């Protein structure tokens, strides 16, 4: 029999750029909802970055951040996710030709997920390739849906 000694992907120490926070334009209730969503998503061990985008602007950045303060909603990857309302998961971000679409995430992020919700999306970055399990993706989907319901 063939034995597989494959090791799990190793974690990368992600480098930070920019500052975290919630948009000052949000009401206190919406800011609380955004913080709740980010906290719930960051309970997933490999998730090191959460960026929330709603109503045409970035409303929250938390964790290890990318150099761009804002989600580039006009980029092909984000615009497709927002248009189709289907998550986009890049389990090996370094192999993605459209890596430039993810400026709001750390340059050395290993995996990324964009989970749309009505009027916006959640973007997450992970410190390992193939880091998100189907259960993790389902959790992010539920949190995004609840956030979308709260913000609409």
């Amino acid at each position: 029999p063939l034995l597989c000694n494959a090791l799990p992907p190793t974690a990368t120490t992600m480098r930070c750029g920019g500052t975290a926070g919630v948009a000052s334009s949000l009401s206190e209730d919406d800011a609380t909802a955004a913080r709740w969503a980010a906290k719930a998503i960051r309970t997933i061990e490999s998730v090191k970055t959460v960026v929330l985008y709603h109503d045409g602007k970035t409303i929250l950045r938390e964790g290890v951040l990318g150099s761009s303060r804002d989600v580039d909603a006009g980029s092909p990857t984000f615009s497709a996710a927002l248009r189709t309302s289907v998550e986009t998961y890049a389990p090996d971000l370094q192999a993605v030709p459209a890596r430039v679409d993810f400026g709001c995430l750390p340059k050395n992020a290993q995996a990324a997920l964009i989970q749309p919700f009505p009027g916006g999306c959640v973007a997450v970055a992970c410190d390992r390739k193939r880091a998100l399990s189907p259960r993790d993706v389902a959790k992010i989907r539920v949190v995004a849906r609840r956030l979308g319901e709260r913000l609409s």
Side-chain angles (χ1 to χ4, degrees):
L2 178 64
L3 296 175
C4 181
N5 292 326
L7 298 173
T10 56
T12 298
T13 302
M14 294 180 8
R15 294 183 300 272
C16 185
T19 56
V22 177
S24 60
S25 60
L26 290 180
S27 70
E28 190 56 41
D29 287 345
D30 288 350
T32 299
R35 284 188 203 96
W36 166 82
K39 183 177 180 179
I41 292 167
R42 290 193 62 210
T43 62
I44 299 169
E45 182 182 347
S46 62
V47 172
K48 303 303 178 195
T49 306
V50 177
V51 177
L52 304 179
Y53 175 84
H54 183 258
D55 200 22
K57 60 186 174 290
T58 301
I59 61 169
L60 177 139
R61 293 169 23 106
E62 191 174 288
V64 182
L65 305 173
S67 58
S68 175
R69 293 188 62 82
D70 296 310
V71 167
D72 181 3
S75 71
T77 306
F78 278 95
S79 64
L82 292 167
R83 189 175 54 254
T84 63
S85 298
V86 175
E87 74 248 2
T88 300
Y89 179 36
D92 184 356
L93 195 55
Q94 302 307 313
V96 173
R99 177 68 180 95
V100 295
D101 291 357
F102 296 92
C104 62
L105 304 179
K107 285 194 181 300
N108 63 337
Q110 300 298 301
L113 174 82
I114 303 169
Q115 176 62 59
F117 59 83
C121 70
V122 173
V124 303
C126 301
D127 63 353
R128 292 187 321 270
K129 296 176 184 177
R130 300 174 300 282
L132 297 175
S133 70
R135 184 178 185 158
D136 296 333
V137 173
K139 178 178 182 172
I140 294 168
R141 186 181 307 122
V142 168
V143 170
R145 185 181 74 238
R146 289 186 180 163
L147 178 62
E149 290 167 358
R150 174 63 188 95
L151 295 176
S152 22

